[in-house]
């Protein structure tokens, strides 16, 4: 046992001298992108020691095997990631960037999106949530009157499931408000047992989902990572290697709508790296704007602060539970960075209990090139064009389950919930063996707080995957593996509290 009462793993010196330590380290850096650990073997060995002690792994080879094993019970990789990642964050971190968001970015995208009445913002590497919640607070307080009936999404993603659970909870210590004026805290949070709970009205736009920037290809409409008006990714890539960073920037570019904005960490500006963007300087902040295709960027609207905000009228909407780990190509190689780790622990996984009604005979599915084109348009947020292409395809082949599925994804993105559900159910009706429509129906029902129906949809996914090997792809049109899909579904069932 350690002084803290945890089971002792092998000594740090033994771990460092272990023949397999280098492979273990390489595997972990490859899976997380955290090249920061490349020259921090001792720190890493200490984390391995903690985890190895807890799971009873005698040496690095045994621990490596455990990390590589199909994820049927507790997910050791998630537990390890919880130890490796650094979640330093607080509300309205780096004020100048939030000023730029309020004075330049949000007025621009709100004006541009006025005809469609929707707004999508992605906080990539959101840790425990202060970043997306700060944006939601700003939207409500400063722009609430202009976007009252809009479909607004502020999506927070992270690789650390524990951080995401805390983000969904939305409860923080005073330290998280170190730069936030007390009156704003009092207006947006309720004191609860020495902490502060975000008020429901500020949660209504915000949802959280698991996403690994290194392993999950983006843009991807299937992952809900597509067509953002604003992406904020601060203090995340500093842990990655230069090669990894270089390979991520085009992905961010493609994941923005035309004219969309990228905000990186205060210390991360690099003209060369962001060369495909237009650079916009505001007092104390550097912003990047996508302006390469149809959208012709006008001079940045360095507008004065908008009129005083109307007081927010909170409506109670429960936090949304969505997540899909769609790990794909791992194109990146690690090296070094800078920072410091923080320790945490693991969570149990429930055993699946599938129950799938016998599916009717499947009409032909596919769509081939037509569907690829739709997906291409949707991935870069061209919702109108994607919807039109989908409708054309559906007119020609009304029984194409994939076309209905993508129509559902597009309905979802533009806030047409009923139509989304109808299209998902139609896709399932036409081909009950397709996994993704069941999975997305589960997510949809979760968002509607219908946990029982969502659990049924997720169990249908489990039943469909039951006899498939973990490394088999789920669908021709995507690279999601069966193992990854199983894992995502198990996580949802666990969050719902289903046995
Ligand atoms: C220092 S926090 C930054 C939080 C917030 N963006 C801010 O600036 O206040 C870095 C976050 O990046 C997340 N992270 C690290 N590697 C990641 C990866 N490969 N994919 C997604 N998130 C990752 C960590 O879990 C952590 O929550």
């Amino acid at each position: 046992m350690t002084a803290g009462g945890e089971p002792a793993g092998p000594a740090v010196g033994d771990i460092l001298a272990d023949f397999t330590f280098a492979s273990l380290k390489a595997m972990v850096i490859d899976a997380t992108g955290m090249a920061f650990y490349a020259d921090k073997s001792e720190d890493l060995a200490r984390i391995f020691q903690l985890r190895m002690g807890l799971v009873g792994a005698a040496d690095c080879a045994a621990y490596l095997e455990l990390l590589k094993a199909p994820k049927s019970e507790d997910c050791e990789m998630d537990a390890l990631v919880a130890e490796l990642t650094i979640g330093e964050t607080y509300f309205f971190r780096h004020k100048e960037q939030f000023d730029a968001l309020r004075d330049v970015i949000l007025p621009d995208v709100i004006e541009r999106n006025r005809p469609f009445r929707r707004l999508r913002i992605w906080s990539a590497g959101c840790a425990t949530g202060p970043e997306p919640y700060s944006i939601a607070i700003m939207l409500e307080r400063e722009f609430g009157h202009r976007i009252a009936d809009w479909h607004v999404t502020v999506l927070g993603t992270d690789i650390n499931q524990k951080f995401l659970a805390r983000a969904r909870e939305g409860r923080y210590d005073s330290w998280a408000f170190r730069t936030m004026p007390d009156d704003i805290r009092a207006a947006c949070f309720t004191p609860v047992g020495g902490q502060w709970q975000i008020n429901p009205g500020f949660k209504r736009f915000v949802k959280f989902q698991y996403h690994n920037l290194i392993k999950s290809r983006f843009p991807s409409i299937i992952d809900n990572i597509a067509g953002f008006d604003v992406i904020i990714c601060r203090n995340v890539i500093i842990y990655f290697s230069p090669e990894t960073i270089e390979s991520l920037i085009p992905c961010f570019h493609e994941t923005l709508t035309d004219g969309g904005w990228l905000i990186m960490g205060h210390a991360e500006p690099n003209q060369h790296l962001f060369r495909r963007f237009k650079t916009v300087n505001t007092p104390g902040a550097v912003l990047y704007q996508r302006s390469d295709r149809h959208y012709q960027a006008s001079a940045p609207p360095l507008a004065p602060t908008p009129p005083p905000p109307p007081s927010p009228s909170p409506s109670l909407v429960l936090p949304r539970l969505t997540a899909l780990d769609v790990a794909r190509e791992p194109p990146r190689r690690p090296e070094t960075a800078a920072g410091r780790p923080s320790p945490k622990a693991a969570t149990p996984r429930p055993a699946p209990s599938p129950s799938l009604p016998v599916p009717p005979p499947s009409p032909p599915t596919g769509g081939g090139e037509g569907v690829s084109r739709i997906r291409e348009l949707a991935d870069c947020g061209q919702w109108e064009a994607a919807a039109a292409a989908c409708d054309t395809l559906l007119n020609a082949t009304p029984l194409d389950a994939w076309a209905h599925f993508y129509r559902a994804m597009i309905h979802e993105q533009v806030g047409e919930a009923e139509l989304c559900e109808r299209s998902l159910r139609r896709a399932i009706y036409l081909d009950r063996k397709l996994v993704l429509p069941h999975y997305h129906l589960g997510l949809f029902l979760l968002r509607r707080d219908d946990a029982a129906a969502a659990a049924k949809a997720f169990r249908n996914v489990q039943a469909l995957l039951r006899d498939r090997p973990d490394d088999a792809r789920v669908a021709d049109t995507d690279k999601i593996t069966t193992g990854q899909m199983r894992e995502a579904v198990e996580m949802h069932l666990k969050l719902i509290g289903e046995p």
Side-chain angles (χ1 to χ4, degrees), residues 140 148 198-205 312-320:
E140 279 284 5
I198 190 153
N199 292 338
F202 298 106
K203 268 184 157 180
R204 68 193 181 105
F205 299 147
S313 47
S315 69
L316 182 69
V317 178
L318 292 174
R320 293 165 173 189

Side-chain angles (χ1 to χ4, degrees), residues 29-34 81-82 84-91 93 97-98 122-132 157-161 163-164 210-215 232-240 244 248 265:
I29 292 178
D30 188 53
T32 62
M34 300 201 64
V81 162
L84 293 170
T85 46
I86 293 132
E88 165 65 5
T89 185
Y90 50 92
F91 285 89
R93 182 180 195 174
Q97 290 186 325
F98 278 93
W122 177 23
S123 162
C126 67
T128 50
E131 190 174 82
T157 65
D158 204 277
I159 192 179
N160 184 324
Q161 299 275 19
F163 289 166
L164 289 170
Y210 176 85
H211 183 257
N212 181 345
L213 287 163
I214 301 300
K215 290 284 181 181
I232 181 162
C233 182
R234 303 183 306 162
N235 312 300
V236 179
I237 63 168
I238 48 168
Y239 301 105
F240 299 164
T244 301
L248 281 175

Side-chain angles (χ1 to χ4, degrees), residues 53-74:
L54 284 168
V55 297
D59 54 25
C60 289
Y63 191 55
L64 185 58
E65 276 313 299
L66 194 66
L67 288 175
K68 283 183 176 167
K71 294 169 177 173
S72 51
E73 295 174 10
D74 289 357

